[in-house]
Amino acid sequence: MDSSKRRKQILEKKKKIHDVIKRASSRLDPLSPFDSFRRYTKNDLSVYLEPGRGDRLSSSLKQHIRKLLKNMEGFYGSDWPIQAKVKRKEMSSPDARYIFVRELRYGKAYEEGCDQIAGFVHYRFTLEEEIPVLYVYEIQLESRIQGKGLGEFLMQLIELIASKNQMSAVVLTVQTSNALAMTFYMSKLGYRISSISPSKTNLPVQNQLSRPSMRYFAKRLIPKLNLCWRRMTENQRKIAYQACSCIVPYSYKTEADEDFGSFDGSSYFQTKRQRNLKCESHFVLH
């Protein structure tokens, strides 16, 4: 194949991937294919989930998000004022997508018409090394609703959303000092540290957002996801199976091929090209 034809094919495939990102980001309600996942009622906890966008947050909702973000203050230490400013800016980005957690009482919200939330997931559809991924920016829950299985349920839903929207992986970052989070993602959910994690690279630290105290994790999405089927209802299993069938492998050669291997889930998220990343660890779903 001559170089002009190869270049044309590569450009066409890149356009196709960008179209996938654009289509996923344009969905008004990413939860609509997963109605049976909108509620979580287990372990003396009853909540319902609703979608949101960064450019449509009310001032009171922003205030509740900022309050929950303070969960991270202890892990950042003296860097928190800088990081808090970055997170506030990220919070309202037009690219930001949310899953909000609202508590239920007698089948209704505690305070109907109120923007108060008990937790949230902030995620985005984006590209990492020219691969379409769902990037989890934040998952924050009030302390009183932690340890009840909700975090695992939310990440399970995130993986289904990623699959339904033809993303190739779920990626996220974690502070190395956050031992509970590291164990949660690696041991319980099967995420792995990427080779482009700041903790694994020898690049010189150039700014506050690139340092070894964070790790970059990823989980490769393959047609048979490592989901907790036993904890799902029969209807949830059917929806999850349908979502898994939507994954489209992007197999053209890029520098990310070492990250995702042959696109069959055979390798961890790795890359030859080293670059500055956020100060968290990057996890990939494997």
Side-chain angles (χ1 to χ4, degrees):
M1 182 184 300
D2 60 44
S3 59
S4 61
K5 281 188 176 180
R6 179 173 176 77
R7 177 176 173 75
K8 183 179 179 182
Q9 286 186 352
I10 291 175
L11 290 175
E12 287 175 349
K13 288 177 180 179
K14 284 187 175 182
K15 182 181 182 303
K16 195 172 183 179
I17 291 174
H18 280 278
D19 288 343
V20 167
I21 296 290
K22 185 177 180 180
R23 186 164 56 249
S25 300
S26 66
R27 288 181 181 269
L28 295 178
D29 183 4
L31 302 185
S32 59
F34 311 107
D35 281 338
S36 63
F37 285 82
R38 287 184 187 270
R39 293 199 178 196
Y40 181 84
T41 309
K42 289 181 182 179
N43 302 321
D44 298 320
L45 181 64
S46 183
V47 301
Y48 76 100
L49 311 178
E50 63 181 30
R53 298 168 60 104
D55 55 358
R56 299 180 183 177
L57 300 177
S58 66
S59 58
S60 59
L61 193 50
K62 288 179 182 178
Q63 185 176 354
H64 288 298
I65 292 173
R66 286 195 292 268
K67 182 180 177 182
L68 285 166
L69 284 172
K70 286 187 177 181
N71 288 346
M72 301 302 296
E73 185 173 3
F75 299 110
Y76 283 99
S78 60
D79 288 340
W80 176 243
I82 296 173
Q83 295 298 328
K85 186 176 180 179
V86 172
K87 289 179 183 296
R88 284 196 297 270
K89 185 176 180 180
E90 292 174 341
M91 175 179 70
S92 302
S93 168
D95 295 326
R97 298 293 178 270
Y98 286 90
I99 299 174
F100 292 118
V101 179
R102 299 185 185 277
E103 290 186 87
L104 292 168
R105 177 182 288 171
Y106 309 121
K108 297 182 179 180
Y110 275 138
E111 298 179 46
E112 291 194 74
C114 177
D115 280 330
Q116 185 167 350
I117 54 174
F120 71 90
V121 182
H122 168 192
Y123 66 96
R124 303 187 190 189
F125 299 106
T126 187
L127 293 177
E128 287 289 322
E129 302 296 333
E130 296 303 317
I131 303 299
V133 303
L134 187 155
Y135 197 125
V136 179
Y137 273 61
E138 302 283 347
I139 175 169
Q140 300 293 343
L141 301 174
E142 286 190 4
S143 57
R144 60 189 175 80
I145 65 172
Q146 293 177 13
K148 296 179 180 290
L150 179 57
E152 186 175 356
F153 181 81
L154 288 168
M155 287 304 298
Q156 187 177 72
L157 178 56
I158 281 291
E159 291 170 14
L160 291 174
I161 291 172
S163 300
K164 186 70 174 178
N165 288 279
Q166 301 181 344
M167 299 296 107
S168 292
V170 173
V171 299
L172 55 96
T173 50
V174 175
Q175 281 273 359
T176 54
S177 59
N178 193 342
L180 286 176
M182 297 280 284
T183 300
F184 174 68
Y185 289 114
M186 295 181 73
S187 301
K188 190 169 257 189
L189 300 183
Y191 284 70
R192 296 292 180 267
I193 301 174
S194 166
S195 65
I196 60 174
S197 174
S199 61
K200 285 195 171 185
T201 64
N202 295 318
L203 292 176
V205 178
Q206 296 178 358
N207 54 56
Q208 292 292 333
L209 297 180
S210 178
R211 64 173 189 269
S213 63
M214 316 295 284
R215 294 221 173 112
Y216 189 65
F217 288 76
K219 192 174 182 183
R220 175 70 184 162
L221 291 174
I222 55 178
K224 293 183 180 179
L225 291 174
N226 183 26
L227 298 174
C228 300
W229 300 99
R230 295 190 306 275
R231 301 184 187 181
M232 293 185 188
T233 64
E234 183 177 351
N235 191 37
Q236 286 175 338
R237 290 192 193 100
K238 290 179 180 177
I239 293 173
Y241 181 82
Q242 291 171 356
C244 291
S245 67
C246 293
I247 301 173
V248 176
Y250 296 94
S251 57
Y252 68 94
K253 292 291 182 179
T254 68
E255 287 182 318
D257 286 344
E258 281 199 347
D259 257 41
F260 294 108
S262 58
F263 294 86
D264 60 359
S266 61
S267 72
Y268 296 144
F269 190 81
Q270 302 170 348
T271 185
K272 291 179 181 177
R273 182 160 63 90
Q274 303 298 331
R275 58 187 173 82
N276 289 334
L277 297 169
K278 291 189 173 183
C279 53
E280 291 102 351
S281 299
H282 195 151
F283 283 86
V284 177
L285 172 63
H286 196 286

